[in-house]
Amino acid sequence: MPLYKNGSFVQDAWTTIREGEAISPAGHVIAPLAWWQAERQAFDQSHVPIGVLIEPGASIDDFIADLPRLAVIALVIPKFQDGRPYSMARLLRERHGYKGEVRATGEVLIDQIQPMLRCGFDAFEITDPITQAALEAGRIPGVAHFYQPGVNEAPQPGARPWLRQAGR
Amino acid sequence: MYRYDEFDAAFVADRLNQFSDQVQRRLSGELTEEQFRIHRLMNGVYLQLHAYMLRVAIPYGALSPRQLRKLAHIARRYDKGFGHFTTRQNIQFNWPALKDIPEILGELASVEMHAIQTSGNCIRNVTADHFAGAAADEIEDPRPYAEILRQWSSIHPEFTYLPRKFKLALSGAPHDRAAIQVHDIGYQLVKNEAGETGFAVYVGGGLGRTPMVGHKIRDFLPTKDLLAYTQAIVRVYNLEGRRDNKYKARIKILVHEKGFEAMRDAVEAEFAADKSDLLALPQNEIARISAYFAPPALTERPADSQALKARRARDPAFAGFVDVNVAKHRQDGYGLVTISLKPIGGIPGDATAEQMELVAELAEKFGHDEIRVSHEQNLVLPHVALDDLPAVYDALRAQGLATANAGLISDIISCPGMDYCSLATARSIPVAQRISERFADGPRAREIGAMKIKISGCINACGHHHVGHIGILGLERKGVETYQLTLGGSGDESCTLGDITGPGFSYEDVVDAVETVVDAYMGLRASPDEDFLSAYRRVGMAPFKKALYERDSGSDI
């Protein structure tokens, strides 16, 4: 599946598995959270990269202890109108200082790319051909002026008000 | 009044380009109708029964004459010569063509207006007391805070896809004219014991099919925490609010199902966990925004106006207008003039382009360039010298705008109902018109006194019937319209939901039923000073029920 990251489409080194499928000892597997939690003992001594797939109903508290172990957190966007993953991404970045990949998977459409970036997503699994074409053409619709701080958008020092900034 | 700086103007231009691009992509087929629907709603464009409707934000109800003239121009050029002021300080144009909408938005942007977030599952247009900055009972002007909330919530990346719409309202006075307890979050400016200003915060109020009065979640929130605390509430809601059923998706349902204490704990925990002070409002920023709302320089005038007195003495219609439509200003010699958009037999909230232009002109000549839109669907000139009232009245009268019914029985809030709305199950505007004709704005209406009638044409309750002193809900039963009455509702600081009287009434009979309630009240009130709501609270439903349902057969027919 095409993966958009850091401004271009890249080779996806990760495989997403379903519950019941084996987590490869070589890692680079994104496993459903419950499956990872059931299988994790096998990886206690291993440092292979592991990712988890998080459904929007989950709470970060359910896997907060695992954060240092996780290289990818893939947040499921069941429908593009589902706003829960946006809050989860911000919490992961801002509250928990998570530095790994925060990936969007599911109904990821072009008009949601900008707000997702601003909430701390940095990788996007793209299935929609129109979205893929727009991203390949470098067209991310959105606004260029923001009234609130975004993730990784430090307010410009000395700039006017406390929240406003021009986009990157 | 707030003025856009370059940043604000650039932001609105961005948004306009973004939306124009979305319209183009819809027309070219790149966006499906379902995808486009979400985007157009986020920009105030609805598909109604007959046409597209554009809902334009009037943040906290504040308008300049230039803006009102632009609305008149839009009404004339792109619509049928009128606009409809809503219960949430918006104006709706009911007949624009979709292709014209980007151009209309461009016209709006030229006067610092927009339609951003007037619909959709996001933080909606922020509303406030329409008497803000002028009322005699005000603690502090809520508009600067409303403006700060407006900016912060505009295209908020985290809160663009909430479970459902989210409405904020602010009041700066102990008497709540903004119905804050029936909003998702209501903020009431208060002083603490140390004399500092802050907010009492209410959460989880709302009307619709499951009406709820908001819970007070904070007695005192320091003003600097306004955004951080709001973020905490909205974040808990975004993560935990129901998404399985749109009728159970508002925050009031979350508060109800989770339990208020648990909700409060969750919000406080989220607020406490946010260690960043990014959202803390610096005092100088509050001061900077507040400066835009500095009160106009009003010349000192005697408390009693001779011009007013003289005209009153010879003109009872004028006296009636002043008694009913002019409220007490905080400065002697001035008044707040309510311009009723409820002409007898008219459509509540409608104004023609000519009427808008007249109000703009009066604001320039006599009103220090300020106009307000109230959630009760009227316009307000907030700073008029009492000496100028005769001239203002004469001009209003010439344009059919001098209806003397502010706060009286014919000052009815009504949703558009079946005449415009695709959700409606019954007519509401014609019911409002018939009640208005029955009671009018003369001596009988004044004798009845303070009375809020609110009419909704379906259970979504856009006409706020739950908080009407008399509420009317139009339903459909087996293909026939039937109207349920509720009594004793109130949207002010004593917020209460009305009680259902019993079986509903037919379209033909509902006005008689309202009159029966009014007559019963007139017969039982302790004195002419005891208004309907007070009387209802004293005596309860029984006498009204009796009057409505236990008439001797024959004697009344």
Side-chain angles (χ1 to χ4, degrees), chain B residues 92-105:
Chain B
Q92 293 181 178
F93 295 106
N94 280 313
W95 307 96
L98 180 60
K99 67 170 177 49
D100 287 340
I101 287 177
E103 192 174 315
I104 298 173
L105 295 174

Side-chain angles (χ1 to χ4, degrees), chain B residues 329-372:
Chain B
H329 198 281
R330 66 180 173 206
Q331 184 159 331
D332 279 348
Y334 290 82
L336 283 132
V337 178
T338 297
I339 300 170
S340 169
L341 298 182
K342 318 292 175 60
I344 301 312
I347 296 177
D350 274 6
T352 65
E354 292 70 31
Q355 289 176 329
M356 292 185 222
E357 282 162 352
L358 172 75
V359 173
E361 184 187 329
L362 292 176
E364 283 163 347
K365 273 196 195 156
F366 303 109
H368 298 267
D369 291 337
E370 281 197 49
I371 301 135
R372 305 286 173 75

Side-chain angles (χ1 to χ4, degrees), chain B residues 186-203:
Chain B
Y187 309 87
Q188 163 91 55
L189 276 157
V190 292
K191 295 266 189 207
N192 67 4
E193 282 171 9
E196 297 157 332
T197 306
F199 299 97
V201 182
Y202 293 83
V203 71

Side-chain angles (χ1 to χ4, degrees), chain A residues 81 83-84 86-87 90-91 95 109 111-112 118 130 144-148 160-164, chain B residues 2 5 7-8 11 14 22 25 30 34 151-152 154 157-158 161 231 235 238 243 270 285 288:
Chain A
Q81 307 95 310
R84 290 174 289 183
Y86 294 74
S87 284
R90 269 195 81 187
L91 286 169
R95 177 118 352 125
L109 301 177
D111 287 280
Q112 285 77 53
R118 300 202 64 222
I130 288 169
H145 295 78
F146 306 129
Y147 283 109
Q148 39 324 85
R160 266 208 321 89
W162 79 122
L163 316 146
R164 302 162 152 209
Chain B
Y2 187 70
D5 59 15
F7 187 100
D8 299 309
F11 173 83
D14 280 359
Q22 286 164 345
R25 283 189 282 138
E30 270 190 51
E34 197 216 345
Q151 294 188 14
W152 167 79
S154 292
E158 183 181 349
Y161 300 102
Q231 172 178 278
R235 182 173 282 164
N238 189 39
R243 291 173 187 266
E270 171 55 39
E285 178 61 11
R288 184 184 77 83

Side-chain angles (χ1 to χ4, degrees), chain A residues 57-81:
Chain A
S59 160
I60 291 175
D61 294 341
D62 299 341
F63 56 100
I64 199 164
D66 292 331
L67 287 182
R69 183 66 185 83
L70 297 172
V72 171
I73 294 175
L75 299 176
V76 177
I77 319 284
K79 284 185 181 156
F80 79 89
Q81 307 95 310

